[in-house]
Amino acid sequence: MEKIRMTTPLVEIDGDEMTRVIWAMIKEELLEPFIDLKLDYFDLGLRERDRTRDQVTVEAAEAILKYGVGVKCATITPNQQRVEEYGLAEMYKSPNGTIRAILDGTVFREPILVKGIEPYVRTWKKPIIIARHAYGDVYKDTESLVPVGDTVYLTLTGGEDRQLEVFQFEGSAGIAECMFNTDKSISSFAHSCFNYALDQKQDLWFATKDTVSKIYDGRFKDIFAEIYEREYRERFEAAGIEYFYTLIDDAVARVIRSEGGFIWACKNYDGDVMSDMVATAFGSLAMMTSVLVSPGGQYEYEAAHGTVTRHYYRHQAGEETSTNSIATIFAWGGALKKRGELDHNERLVHFAEMLEKASIDTIESGIMTKDLALLSTLPDKKVVNTKEFIVAIRRTLEKLLEVR
Ligand code: NAP
Ligand code: MG
């Protein structure tokens, strides 16, 4: 087979530990034999971030802004222990946080479904994609213990000064918090959600508690509604999809009764909590992909899990590992498909689809990593190691590509 050619570079962002090991295997076994890869490479491995004082992270994000599509390996977010382990000059911020801030993007998390690993919720037949607004609210709040007898006010200064009384703490001490969001961030979130729904041709659900929080949550509801009416309604109708707003408690009940197959946009806290619940209910973090979508239409694909440190230490010690590479393979699949669509490169799109199909077919044939074997209800299972799993997917992929 003649190798597939690419016209525009894909931004490749390398990372750390076990996922870095898997990354190299995926390229060698599943990509390089089939594609004449055109990549703009950034090494976000912790040592290179340290050497460049994290400048490489900024450059990687800027490359995604320039070319439109990136694929990222999981990376270490340093804590004190990592500072010592790697002898870092600083405790660098989360690379994902830095990239998200530059792209002003929203993260969509999608489970990968395979036969034999059944969602805990029996009605769920299709993925539920969660979009989490990742700015403000309780994550950027100001809070305080309040002594008995104090009164808490919300004060606005600068223009027409105002003071709103929150509560008089008579008879009991207590607590208070103040949080905020901005129209700009909420609007970016809305655009990312509407664009991704059109991209995926799936309905978009959004829910808040605007009956109780009439101004704060009401603002989210209104901004979504305004942007939808002004810029997206016609395109949604043409695509045969729906934007649907409801109260958060109603949404939770409907999600459980649904069969899946939609995007659920969540405020920051709701998304934090619900994405872990939905991920667990679908089976495994190792089967969850994630894509960062900017309001300007740039995409960054990655696995939702981390660098799988425990497996890496075993790998370093020369022990065998059985690490699941599916989410990382799907990150490549998603990125190559998007690159192909933007470049009208049909062979690349087809390849990306076959890569994903080969991964699923391999698991459904009974060949899987240890984490999946523990969950799978298939009668005949063969547990393989990290490398064998990727090689098995390659065999399946070769057959799929020959059939064409
Ligand atoms: P993790 O890497 O997701 O791993 C937690 C555990 O989940 C693993 O020890 C493993 O369990 C299981 N697991 C996760 N992915 C798996 C896979 N592909 N195959 C098989 N098992 C898998 O989370 P963590 O240990 O909390 O974090 C490790 C590092 O990753 C940290 O330095 C953190 O900063 C970073 N991190 C990065 C990202 C990102 O770049 N997006 C996200 C999260 C965390 P068993 O050991 O029981 O087999
Ligand atoms: Mg969480």
Side-chain angles (χ1 to χ4, degrees):
M1 168 185 139
E2 198 196 325
K3 281 198 193 181
I4 299 162
R5 270 198 291 277
M6 294 175 67
T7 47
T8 316
L10 173 64
V11 179
E12 176 192 3
I13 304 176
D14 210 342
D16 289 301
E17 300 195 313
M18 201 60 206
T19 39
R20 188 180 180 101
V21 174
I22 287 176
W23 194 261
M25 287 181 189
I26 291 172
K27 284 182 72 179
E28 189 191 328
E29 293 289 336
L30 300 176
L31 304 175
E32 282 161 357
F34 309 100
I35 308 173
D36 196 359
L37 287 167
K38 197 169 191 168
L39 302 164
D40 195 7
Y41 179 85
F42 295 87
D43 183 0
L44 262 60
L46 194 45
R47 289 188 203 292
E48 186 62 12
R49 274 184 276 152
D50 193 37
R51 196 187 66 79
T52 63
R53 296 293 185 270
D54 214 18
Q55 192 52 34
V56 65
T57 307
V58 174
E59 285 166 12
E62 284 167 353
I64 297 176
L65 281 178
K66 177 175 169 193
Y67 291 117
V69 190
V71 58
K72 180 180 169 291
C73 179
T75 46
I76 292 169
T77 298
N79 52 19
Q80 192 50 43
Q81 183 240 319
R82 299 297 199 166
V83 171
E84 285 155 29
E85 182 183 352
Y86 283 79
L88 302 178
E90 282 173 52
M91 198 189 294
Y92 302 101
K93 282 192 230 153
S94 150
N96 286 7
T98 303
I99 295 171
R100 201 161 54 219
I102 293 172
L103 294 183
D104 189 17
T106 297
V107 173
F108 296 80
R109 267 181 158 202
E110 177 170 6
I112 300 154
L113 270 55
V114 290
K115 285 196 200 82
I117 299 176
E118 307 302 332
Y120 289 103
V121 180
R122 269 177 290 132
T123 48
W124 291 358
K125 305 284 178 237
K126 295 180 225 160
I128 294 169
I129 302 176
I130 293 212
R132 173 181 170 190
H133 182 216
Y135 179 79
D137 297 357
V138 72
Y139 302 85
K140 289 254 191 246
D141 72 352
T142 305
E143 46 185 38
S144 181
L145 292 172
V146 185
V148 63
D150 276 17
T151 302
V152 173
Y153 296 94
L154 175 62
T155 308
L156 288 75
T157 56
E160 192 185 314
D161 292 2
R162 272 193 295 157
Q163 196 171 48
L164 312 173
E165 184 182 303
V166 176
F167 193 68
Q168 296 179 10
F169 288 77
E170 283 163 3
S172 175
I175 41 182
E177 85 177 337
C178 184
M179 61 185 190
F180 70 92
N181 224 299
T182 65
D183 288 0
K184 178 171 179 285
S185 176
I186 300 167
S187 302
S188 292
F189 177 48
H191 281 292
S192 294
C193 290
F194 289 130
N195 277 325
Y196 197 62
L198 284 168
D199 192 71
Q200 297 290 303
K201 297 195 179 50
Q202 295 202 330
D203 290 348
L204 176 69
W205 298 18
F206 182 46
T208 72
K209 193 72 182 175
D210 69 289
T211 45
V212 170
S213 171
K214 290 189 169 63
I215 295 178
Y216 197 107
D217 281 15
R219 191 77 192 140
F220 278 83
K221 176 187 177 181
D222 292 348
I223 288 176
F224 266 69
E226 256 168 52
I227 292 177
Y228 178 67
E229 290 302 333
R230 196 176 65 224
E231 293 182 46
Y232 294 94
R233 178 183 278 285
E234 277 174 28
R235 278 190 276 164
F236 267 55
E237 283 170 1
I241 57 173
E242 193 189 6
Y243 168 59
F244 161 74
Y245 177 86
T246 186
L247 281 173
I248 186 72
D249 25 10
D250 179 48
V252 169
R254 283 172 186 257
V255 164
I256 295 294
R257 286 197 307 263
S258 79
E259 58 167 50
F262 55 89
I263 299 166
W264 183 12
C266 291
K267 285 180 62 200
N268 209 347
Y269 180 82
D270 298 338
D272 185 352
V273 176
M274 290 305 161
S275 64
D276 282 347
M277 191 192 72
V278 169
T280 308
F282 270 109
S284 162
L285 194 57
M287 296 292 280
M288 184 73 69
T289 57
S290 140
V291 50
L292 174 68
V293 181
S294 78
Q298 284 96 5
Y299 296 77
E300 184 212 49
Y301 296 82
E302 72 167 335
H305 60 75
T307 59
V308 212
T309 310
R310 281 209 294 264
H311 293 214
Y312 181 60
Y313 290 158
R314 260 181 261 147
H315 170 80
Q316 272 188 318
E319 289 168 37
E320 185 164 271
T321 55
S322 181
T323 314
N324 186 343
S325 46
I326 289 291
T328 306
I329 294 172
F330 269 68
W332 275 100
L336 290 168
K337 189 153 116 192
K338 176 54 71 183
R339 188 68 273 159
E341 283 169 7
L342 292 174
D343 295 346
H344 307 288
N345 186 340
E346 271 174 44
R347 286 188 73 202
L348 193 59
V349 171
H350 178 257
F351 174 84
E353 285 167 354
M354 291 305 105
L355 177 64
E356 295 185 351
K357 180 167 165 44
S359 307
I360 289 173
D361 286 359
T362 303
I363 298 171
E364 293 183 348
S365 79
I367 301 174
M368 59 190 83
T369 44
K370 199 169 146 191
D371 58 308
L372 294 179
L374 291 171
L375 298 169
S376 174
T377 55
L378 290 186
D380 295 311
K381 286 174 280 196
K382 185 177 172 217
V383 178
V384 291
N385 68 31
T386 307
K387 178 75 185 230
E388 287 165 351
F389 185 56
I390 291 173
V391 170
I393 293 172
R394 176 172 176 173
R395 299 279 167 265
T396 316
L397 178 61
E398 281 168 347
K399 279 187 210 126
L400 286 174
L401 292 173
E402 264 168 34
V403 169
R404 203 193 184 194

